[in-house]
Amino acid sequence: MRRKFTENRKNDVLYLTFPLFEKAGVKHGFSTKLGGVSKGDCATMNLSFTRGDDPEAVQENHRLFADAVGYPVEHLVLSNQVHDTVVRRVDVSDAGKGIFRESDLIGVDGLITDDPEVVLMTFFADCVPLFFYDPVAKAVGASHSGWRGTVSRMGAKTVERMRQEFGTKPENLLAVIGPSICASCYEVSEDVAVAFQKEFPREQWQEILEAKPEQKYQLNLWRANEIILEEAGIPKEQIEVSGLCTCCHSELLFSHRATGGRRGNLAGVITLQS
């Protein structure tokens, strides 16, 4: 698979953008491990307050990342993810939640908005980032989809919620499947494989799962999410898979599997701000 992302650097902050969104002029960014001030397992650009990192270091990382990508840090809305499929619409009244003030967005794995005063942020360290842009309804979405979210079709649920809230038509959407663990790195147990076999028809799960010895499987979350988005009505040519594995490139990106959980969190942002 050809990788589809652009490396950007401002000062010492290295972050990624995606050609599909670049062409559409939508502001977005995906962090790497580089350019922050965190120490130890969270070195250096950890953007999560849930990894045991120094909160002041996390705050500074947010300031540095926002300056690099080019958005006001006070406009951020952070999600608190639990591997579920809850999607919440947010607006400027939610700005600062999870970073500058207490958040009621608990157990929320997807955020959507049509408010240009909002910057959506979701967190990752192997799970799949799903980003959406509707250039017609002028709306964006960001969702977190691990294997549980994927087998429960988090991508389709985000698309449906955007339809309900903004009148989004799936055929208008641009979608990016961001950096996450690849099939070669993602070995799962039989119970996970069975969950996918129950949810997807045989011809699809044969694309998604590769059987290995001792009742193990390699799981292709990229392809699974691509199938889900296509079935939700997004044209294939409007879906971009970044093709960058967090585990293969753990020197650049935080990976739960590569470090046995000793890591910070990456973050993706998307906004309607120009």
Side-chain angles (χ1 to χ4, degrees):
M1 173 183 292
R2 186 171 68 87
R3 296 180 188 172
K4 297 178 181 178
F5 61 89
T6 304
E7 292 188 0
N8 307 268
R9 188 183 295 272
K10 182 174 180 181
N11 298 324
D12 292 325
V13 178
L14 180 69
Y15 69 97
L16 311 176
T17 52
F18 309 108
L20 189 69
F21 286 165
E22 291 170 358
K23 291 173 186 175
V26 61
K27 182 163 288 186
H28 67 289
F30 194 85
S31 69
T32 68
K33 292 169 67 171
L34 307 180
V37 299
S38 293
K39 307 294 185 183
D41 294 334
C42 290
T44 61
M45 183 56 80
N46 167 52
L47 291 164
S48 173
F49 292 94
T50 66
R51 303 306 305 172
D53 197 1
D54 177 359
E56 291 187 4
V58 181
Q59 289 275 7
E60 177 62 8
N61 289 341
H62 273 284
R63 188 193 67 77
L64 292 167
F65 187 61
D67 180 65
V69 178
Y71 60 85
V73 69
E74 62 270 16
H75 289 185
L76 275 173
V77 179
L78 277 54
S79 65
N80 180 287
Q81 300 154 193
V82 293
H83 298 276
D84 204 343
T85 57
V86 175
V87 180
R88 286 276 294 273
R89 177 179 181 171
V90 295
D91 58 31
V92 70
S93 67
D94 299 293
K97 285 183 177 178
I99 178 170
F100 299 119
R101 58 192 179 108
E102 191 172 349
S103 176
D104 58 354
L105 300 169
I106 307 301
V108 174
D109 282 70
L111 299 170
I112 59 173
T113 191
D114 63 350
D115 190 334
E117 295 300 302
V118 167
V119 181
L120 306 179
M121 176 174 277
T122 43
F123 299 95
F124 309 92
D126 284 340
C127 291
V128 180
L130 300 175
F131 303 110
F132 303 87
Y133 173 53
D134 182 343
V136 178
K138 300 298 182 186
V140 291
S143 291
H144 162 267
S145 189
W147 79 258
R148 291 178 180 84
T150 299
V151 81
S152 298
R153 297 181 178 266
M154 179 55 159
K157 291 180 179 178
T158 307
V159 172
E160 173 59 17
R161 191 66 193 277
M162 291 182 75
R163 185 195 67 77
Q164 293 171 357
E165 295 290 343
F166 313 127
T168 289
K169 295 179 179 179
E171 61 266 28
N172 293 331
L173 278 171
L174 306 180
V176 168
I177 297 170
S180 42
I181 196 165
C182 73
S184 296
C185 291
Y186 197 32
E187 183 182 86
V188 298
S189 55
E190 188 176 29
D191 61 319
V192 176
V194 168
F196 279 84
Q197 289 168 344
K198 288 180 177 178
E199 176 60 30
F200 291 84
R202 184 179 182 87
E203 64 271 16
Q204 291 181 349
W205 65 250
Q206 286 182 327
E207 288 188 71
I208 295 167
L209 292 164
E210 180 186 353
K212 308 293 282 188
E214 300 180 359
Q215 297 181 313
K216 300 292 186 181
Y217 295 79
Q218 301 300 131
L219 174 58
N220 189 335
L221 288 175
W222 296 350
R223 181 58 186 143
N225 279 283
E226 194 174 26
I227 288 170
I228 290 164
L229 297 181
E230 289 174 14
E231 290 188 344
I234 305 177
K236 185 177 180 65
E237 63 272 15
Q238 291 166 211
I239 302 170
E240 186 168 82
V241 182
S242 67
L244 180 63
C245 175
T246 44
C247 190
C248 289
H249 299 280
S250 58
E251 79 291 346
L252 178 68
L253 304 166
F254 290 118
S255 168
H256 185 85
R257 183 150 296 205
T259 61
R262 298 171 61 90
R263 45 81 182 175
N265 267 341
L266 306 164
V269 292
I270 188 166
T271 179
L272 292 166
Q273 294 179 17
S274 59

